[in-house]
Amino acid sequence: MRKAMSAATGPELDRALAGLGWPELLAEWPDVAVPLVFRLLGETGAHAAVLDDVVRHAAGYPGPGPVPLPFTGEAWVVWDRDGKPGAAVDEELPLRSVATGTELPRQAVAAARRALGWWLLGTGHTMLTLARGHVLERTQFGRPLASFQAVRHRLAETLVALEGAQAALHNAEGEFGALLGKAAAGQAALTAARHCQQVLGGIGFTAEHDLHRHVRRTLVLDGLFGSTRELVREAGAHIRAAGSAPRIAQL
């Protein structure tokens, strides 16, 4: 699958994944297929309409037509399979705004949040890899950039955030677990975008470097099915109403 995602994206990747058995994997082993495929999408920077597949499968919706997906700020978008660039911050994604949408079943929302969490985790790790490679190669004042404590602290904080998000996703059972997993992954990816941009400096803003693609991808993915800020607020309201915080993982 990594080879397919490195060689294709959009509708071409949709066809390649279908040939590799993605629909069958999603139907029979979603707990294996979703983390594998979505994390690879993040790591390679490719995109496909697999989020729509996950929502349809979890909701039990038949038919090939796209499902309106909730976006931050009470907006709705559709992931078009024709591959035409949309108007989102990430211009590569074929997202199209629609006026309204239908509230999705809770199990479909939870499944989509888990999938997006793995996608965010993958793109966060790629940003960290790009930044790490840069500081190992470049020098400043006669010293490798990787030797500066401030640089090392930023990269270490990014790694800790990503590892924590991965642990949350591994334990993202149920609706509340999926909410926390997506929030943790979104926060980790945003942390990676901020710190890695600082470490890379001016080159990270250029079109020639890959970082900007992952930063824009993070901003869009974070907004789908609730932004990190919205989900944290929702989690707080849930805990206040329940009067206690549920144990997500048995440590």
Side-chain angles (χ1 to χ4, degrees), residues 147-180:
S147 68
F148 291 95
Q149 191 175 51
V151 170
R152 298 170 77 168
H153 281 178
R154 286 186 180 275
L155 297 184
E157 185 178 334
T158 299
L159 179 60
V160 169
L162 291 170
E163 291 294 310
Q166 182 169 330
L169 287 168
H170 276 305
N171 292 279
E173 297 181 1
E175 297 168 25
F176 192 65
L179 183 154
L180 294 180

Side-chain angles (χ1 to χ4, degrees), residues 120-121 123-129 131-132 150-165 182-200 211 214-219 222 228-229 232:
L120 286 161
L121 183 70
T123 200
H125 273 290
T126 295
M127 287 188 281
L128 179 59
T129 299
R132 180 179 179 274
V151 170
R152 298 170 77 168
H153 281 178
R154 286 186 180 275
L155 297 184
E157 185 178 334
T158 299
L159 179 60
V160 169
L162 291 170
E163 291 294 310
K182 204 262 183 177
Q187 184 59 57
L190 292 170
T191 297
R194 183 174 68 255
H195 286 336
C196 294
Q197 179 64 77
Q198 287 293 317
V199 167
L200 281 159
L211 182 73
H214 292 281
V215 172
R216 291 188 296 162
R217 184 67 47 85
T218 294
L219 295 175
D222 182 62
T228 298
R229 178 174 295 183
V232 169

